Amino acid sequence: MQQRFEMGESFVVAVEPPGGVFAPDALEALAALEDALLEIDGVEAVRSLATLPFSPARPPAGSPARSTPPAPGSDAGLDAAADAAVGSVLDEVQAGPARASAARAAVLVDPLLRGVFVSPDAELAALHVAVEPMDEAVLLQADLGRRLAAVAAEEVPGWPVWVAGSPFLKAEMNRILNDELGSQVPLVLVIMMIVSFAVFRSLTGAWIPIATIGLALVWTLGAMGLAGVPLNIVTSIVPPLILVVGFAYTIHVVAEARALARRGEARPGPALAGVARPIALTALTTAAGFLCLCLSEHPAIREFGAFGAGGVLASLVAAMTFAPAMLALRGMSSGGEDSTRARRLEARERRVDRWLEGLGRLSLRYRVAVLATAGLVFVGSLAAATRIEVDTRIVENFRGDSLVRQSYERLNDALDGADLLYVLVEGRERGSLLEPGNLREIAK
């Protein structure tokens, strides 16, 4: 429909005049706000209650239309000509109290105006802002939602201002995803490095896993950029996924190399030979699971499955090539530990091994109770899983004090909704919608 009508996206900008929408100064400010919003680059048209073509004499939208056109020269024809001379709500309000009262009454019973351009209690006015057709990436970069809010707040200071619309929602989601990835990925890497150092007590054992998963992450994000796949609410899970999977793979390689180094084997080759098969099997089965998502009908799910699998395989390649190469260059000894410290670490590791072995023996001894408990937990979880609901209310993912969430909640409460809906009617043949009979049906 956007291509056919050469339409761009749409925003809804709503304001709440202190004295109500139908006060003369409020409608004048609303008309001035229209002009100010039209000055913003990319804005193609603005419609509001103040300047919409309006005549109190016309029947409310939705009422029965005339079944036959008026005869030439009849009174009905004169009435139709009078109805055609329409002005605006602002003109009617400025004409005097009587006409202002009639205009208010006519607006609040018109279903194409009430709940669309003005709230039923006449406290909130909505401006519909149409944007020029542009690429979605350009639209997101323009950040028109915040610019509209800033201009409105400057034009009508002191009035509550709300902004809604699909492009604003997308832009805010895009901003949050970028901010979180830019801050949380480095934070996770730092935490992983601390954990690695605490486990291996070695700088080499700390930075090699981080460098390895960082390499796999760069490979995967580079492939996404090359393929033109955006980071959306689904595909943004790929970077954390690579961090988790790649860290686990590399830790096994480094741990095996460390264990062999303690026994006098300085080369990483035997360490790689000992863990290559289980790591490869784990990675391949994990990648196969993600590839199953490529059967989904949803493009974002398919992209997540494809690049999730690609990220897992990239982590495997990095763990099998980069990590051993770094171990060979840097060496993976006990990290400069003296014999007393090394013995303490080995004793602690043996205590962990004995504890896990004891847990295994306990599970074997009471296997009936363990299996029964697991069965009960499974049944209970299965019953609880039936209560999961499919929820597409993306707005609720925003913080309660965010402009986008507050705007949607306010407009959904005051108007018929915060998003604009368009209805496309197609005729059976070219020009058929210009026939009077079809136009009367559309009027109904």
Side-chain angles (χ1 to χ4, degrees):
M1 188 180 72
Q2 289 178 342
Q3 292 176 354
R4 195 165 191 173
F5 287 89
E6 298 181 354
M7 294 170 54
E9 297 280 359
S10 298
F11 292 84
V12 175
V13 178
V15 293
E16 297 187 60
V21 174
F22 289 96
D25 55 345
L27 288 173
E28 291 172 0
L30 204 60
L33 179 56
E34 277 193 48
D35 296 334
L37 295 179
L38 276 171
E39 295 297 323
I40 298 177
D41 291 338
V43 173
E44 188 174 51
V46 182
R47 296 188 301 164
S48 78
L49 185 66
T51 59
L52 276 176
F54 172 80
S55 172
R58 71 179 177 88
S63 61
R66 298 180 187 270
S67 57
T68 57
S74 65
D75 292 340
L78 296 176
D79 293 340
D83 289 350
V86 296
S88 66
V89 175
L90 177 59
D91 295 334
E92 294 296 317
V93 169
Q94 291 175 336
R99 291 180 62 176
S101 178
R104 176 190 176 108
V107 166
L108 294 181
V109 297
D110 191 331
L112 293 183
L113 301 178
R114 185 194 70 251
V116 180
F117 290 96
V118 61
S119 61
D121 58 9
E123 293 183 0
L124 180 144
L127 299 93
H128 295 187
V129 181
V131 179
E132 297 174 357
M134 63 180 72
D135 183 75
E136 184 169 336
V138 177
L139 181 60
L140 293 177
Q141 188 176 5
D143 200 13
L144 283 176
R146 290 182 173 269
R147 291 172 61 190
L148 291 170
V151 170
E154 182 179 352
E155 188 68 27
V156 286
W159 292 16
V161 176
W162 314 108
V163 179
S166 175
F168 185 46
L169 192 61
K170 294 176 184 177
E172 290 298 290
M173 184 67 72
N174 182 68
R175 182 182 60 82
I176 289 176
L177 290 177
N178 285 333
D179 291 346
E180 289 187 349
L181 287 176
S183 61
Q184 292 185 7
V185 169
L187 177 62
V188 171
L189 289 174
V190 171
I191 294 174
M192 286 181 170
M193 181 175 287
I194 294 173
V195 171
S196 300
F197 182 79
V199 170
F200 296 119
R201 302 298 178 91
S202 166
L203 289 177
T204 302
W207 71 261
I208 286 182
I210 304 306
T212 303
I213 59 178
L215 184 62
L217 181 61
V218 170
W219 286 348
T220 307
L221 293 179
M224 293 179 66
L226 189 63
V229 175
L231 281 173
N232 53 45
I233 194 172
V234 179
T235 56
S236 62
I237 308 172
V238 171
L241 169 72
I242 296 172
L243 296 182
V244 174
V245 172
F247 186 68
Y249 297 164
T250 311
I251 284 291
H252 286 301
V253 175
V254 176
E256 184 69 12
R258 183 182 182 82
L260 290 174
R262 285 179 176 173
R263 295 197 292 269
E265 175 60 66
R267 296 174 303 162
L272 184 61
V275 297
R277 183 180 178 85
I279 291 179
L281 289 175
T282 302
L284 292 175
T285 53
T286 303
F290 281 108
L291 286 175
C292 292
L293 297 177
C294 294
L295 301 176
S296 171
E297 295 182 359
H298 197 293
I301 299 295
R302 292 199 303 268
E303 293 166 353
F304 170 68
F307 287 97
V312 169
L313 295 178
S315 301
L316 171 65
V317 172
M320 294 291 100
T321 58
F322 178 79
M326 288 296 100
L327 290 171
L329 288 174
R330 300 290 299 175
M332 191 59 196
S333 65
S334 59
E337 303 161 352
D338 55 35
S339 58
T340 302
R341 186 176 181 185
R343 285 195 298 270
R344 288 177 181 172
L345 290 174
E346 290 177 0
R348 186 178 64 181
E349 292 173 358
R350 285 196 295 270
R351 284 197 299 269
V352 174
D353 291 339
R354 286 196 298 270
W355 182 82
L356 293 174
E357 185 179 354
L359 179 62
R361 286 197 299 268
L362 184 67
S363 299
L364 291 174
R365 183 181 304 171
Y366 300 102
R367 54 187 175 274
V368 175
V370 170
L371 292 175
T373 303
L376 291 176
V377 173
F378 172 76
V379 172
S381 301
L382 195 62
T386 61
R387 301 176 61 183
I388 297 178
E389 297 180 357
V390 176
D391 189 355
T392 57
R393 293 172 292 184
I394 299 178
V395 174
E396 295 187 0
N397 293 325
F398 291 89
R399 292 174 48 179
D401 59 350
S402 66
L403 175 61
V404 62
R405 179 165 181 173
Q406 290 181 343
S407 295
Y408 267 82
E409 290 177 347
R410 179 68 181 110
L411 297 187
N412 282 330
D413 179 63
L415 302 175
D416 289 341
D419 288 304
L420 301 180
L421 299 180
Y422 296 94
V423 178
L424 178 64
V425 180
E426 294 191 79
R428 291 187 174 89
E429 57 187 23
R430 191 178 187 89
S432 61
L433 291 185
L434 295 180
E435 297 177 3
N438 290 333
L439 290 175
R440 282 193 290 270
E441 293 299 320
I442 292 176
K444 294 179 183 180

